[in-house]
Amino acid sequence: MIEFYTRRLYYVLLLLVFGLHLPAQTPAPDVVRVGAYINDIYDVNLSDKSFSVQFWVWFNYDSLALRSDDTLRPLATLEIPNAKEVESDLGFTEAAGAQGIWASKKIRAIMKKDWNIRHFPFDEQALQIELEDSNNDAKRMLYQADTTNTKLDPRLSLTNWQVTHFDFSTGTKTYNTTYGDPSLSGNSVYPHASLNITIARKSQWLLFWSLFTGLYVAFFISSLVFWIDADQVDPRFGLSVGGLFAAVGNKYIVDSILPQSTTFTLVDKLHILTYFFLLLCIILSVISLRIWKAKSPEQSQRFDRRVFWTVVPVYVAINLWLVCMAAFGS
């Protein structure tokens, strides 16, 4: 009997000695359920690189965090990183029985958006609303998506746009800084959620013709110079130069509704193509005039007709190819 108790005491002492050297276990991160209901999207502004949104956001979580020195307040620490301006009201936090805490508020925000205008006006745009916790990193808290209740209001209607896709995802976002936190090294990781909405422009062809009709009229009027005798200098060169000025003016009008971009857009391609062909009309008119004076009016007229039936179809074909690639291509 004495040996039995001696052995038990020995095991207890071993556990106490070695137990003191066991590393402290880091508690698992708290999981917070997050969801949103988008009431409205409006003021889709290409030139200002922004759009406005109004939505409810909510969190479901346990009343107390697993760590005794902290209490979760995800509503108070919520951040929208890609917003220019944020306003919120109607916020509340209340107990939800066995489900823990339910916290929610309504948010109105002006979101930053770098629009993809490469195929304008046959463009689709991907809108994103980012949700992130500004206080708790991923070691302390993680988001879980409430996909069942996260939706778009069915009455939502965007002027000149239609919603083609919507999804909600959660994860983490890594920053290559610790923001001065001495407990971290290298980088920091925070819980992150993203509302993703894809919109496509309505009446694309109607908008296209309203923007580019003036450009095409300017070119086709200029192409009529090849039906005017080459010795009629004023009308022949006046039409081409006038068409060139009209095309430049059309470019300024279209650019006024678009943001500045370093990409080569459909708008740029169509205008530069038209500039080139208008310049070509002027050069060919000079050649026709030289033929008129050096050889004969008949040869000049034959030259003009051949040029017209070559330049115009080529211009139309290139335009059709560029527009169809933008409208129906990838």
Side-chain angles (χ1 to χ4, degrees):
M1 183 64 69
I2 294 174
E3 291 180 358
F4 173 76
Y5 285 111
T6 302
R7 190 177 300 109
R8 295 291 299 273
L9 180 60
Y10 174 73
Y11 290 147
V12 170
L13 290 173
L14 285 176
L15 288 173
L16 289 173
V17 171
F18 287 102
L20 293 175
H21 299 284
L22 292 176
Q25 294 186 353
T26 303
D30 298 312
V31 177
V32 174
R33 194 168 177 81
V34 57
Y37 187 81
I38 299 179
N39 302 98
D40 199 9
I41 300 172
Y42 54 99
D43 288 346
V44 177
N45 194 325
L46 297 185
S47 59
D48 196 37
K49 294 188 176 182
S50 68
F51 67 95
S52 298
V53 63
Q54 180 177 285
F55 64 99
W56 281 92
V57 63
W58 62 83
F59 299 94
N60 301 110
Y61 57 98
D62 292 337
S63 57
L64 295 176
L66 298 178
R67 293 160 298 283
S68 60
D69 63 340
D70 189 24
T71 301
L72 290 180
R73 296 184 180 87
L75 197 64
T77 55
L78 174 65
E79 180 186 8
I80 305 178
N82 62 330
K84 296 169 68 174
E85 298 178 18
V86 178
E87 296 179 2
S88 63
D89 55 17
L90 306 177
F92 64 87
T93 301
E94 61 182 49
Q99 287 74 34
I101 297 296
W102 173 35
S104 180
K105 65 179 175 181
K106 191 173 188 178
I107 294 177
R108 288 179 294 275
I110 300 176
M111 310 299 300
K112 295 179 291 185
K113 172 60 183 172
D114 190 9
W115 303 103
N116 180 5
I117 59 170
R118 192 161 58 95
H119 293 154
F120 175 86
F122 306 101
D123 50 331
E124 277 192 345
Q125 302 294 340
L127 310 183
Q128 188 177 61
I129 305 168
E130 298 182 28
L131 307 175
E132 192 173 301
D133 196 276
S134 61
N135 184 52
N136 301 293
D137 62 22
K139 294 180 181 178
R140 304 175 69 189
M141 189 179 79
L142 291 174
Y143 284 157
Q144 182 184 69
D146 183 0
T147 54
T148 302
N149 297 299
T150 299
K151 300 176 181 179
L152 292 171
D153 191 320
R155 295 167 296 182
L156 186 152
S157 178
L158 287 81
T159 304
N160 301 324
W161 298 89
Q162 60 184 354
V163 177
T164 59
H165 178 74
F166 173 68
D167 68 73
F168 182 48
S169 60
T170 56
T172 59
K173 187 173 181 179
T174 302
Y175 295 91
N176 62 345
T177 177
T178 64
Y179 294 103
D181 188 343
S183 65
L184 301 176
S185 60
N187 53 40
S188 54
V189 183
Y190 287 84
H192 183 269
S194 179
L195 295 153
N196 305 297
I197 309 115
T198 302
I199 59 175
R201 195 180 297 277
K202 298 177 184 176
S203 305
Q204 296 175 338
W205 286 102
L206 181 62
L207 178 60
F208 173 82
W209 287 114
S210 68
L211 293 175
F212 292 99
T213 297
L215 180 71
Y216 291 139
V217 168
F219 170 76
F220 284 111
I221 290 177
S222 299
S223 67
L224 294 178
V225 300
F226 297 110
W227 297 92
I228 301 174
D229 289 341
D231 65 337
Q232 303 296 314
V233 176
D234 288 343
R236 284 195 65 134
F237 289 93
L239 284 177
S240 296
V241 173
L244 185 60
F245 277 102
V248 172
N250 186 265
K251 180 69 161 61
Y252 277 107
I253 293 172
V254 177
D255 283 348
S256 67
I257 64 174
L258 296 176
Q260 290 186 349
S261 175
T262 57
T263 59
F264 202 48
T265 66
L266 175 65
V267 171
D268 297 325
K269 293 174 183 177
L270 295 183
H271 280 90
I272 290 175
L273 177 69
T274 304
Y275 298 158
F276 173 80
F277 273 84
L278 289 172
L279 178 61
L280 184 62
C281 288
I282 295 174
I283 295 172
L284 293 172
S285 292
V286 173
I287 295 174
S288 178
L289 180 61
R290 299 291 296 178
I291 295 174
W292 181 287
K293 291 183 176 181
K295 297 182 180 179
S296 68
E298 291 77 14
Q299 291 187 27
S300 174
Q301 290 174 351
R302 285 197 299 270
F303 175 80
D304 284 341
R305 305 301 180 266
R306 291 171 182 172
V307 166
F308 178 85
W309 292 114
T310 301
V311 169
V312 173
V314 170
Y315 177 80
V316 171
I318 297 175
N319 270 271
L320 286 174
W321 179 72
L322 291 174
V323 173
C324 289
M325 286 296 293
F328 309 113
S330 56

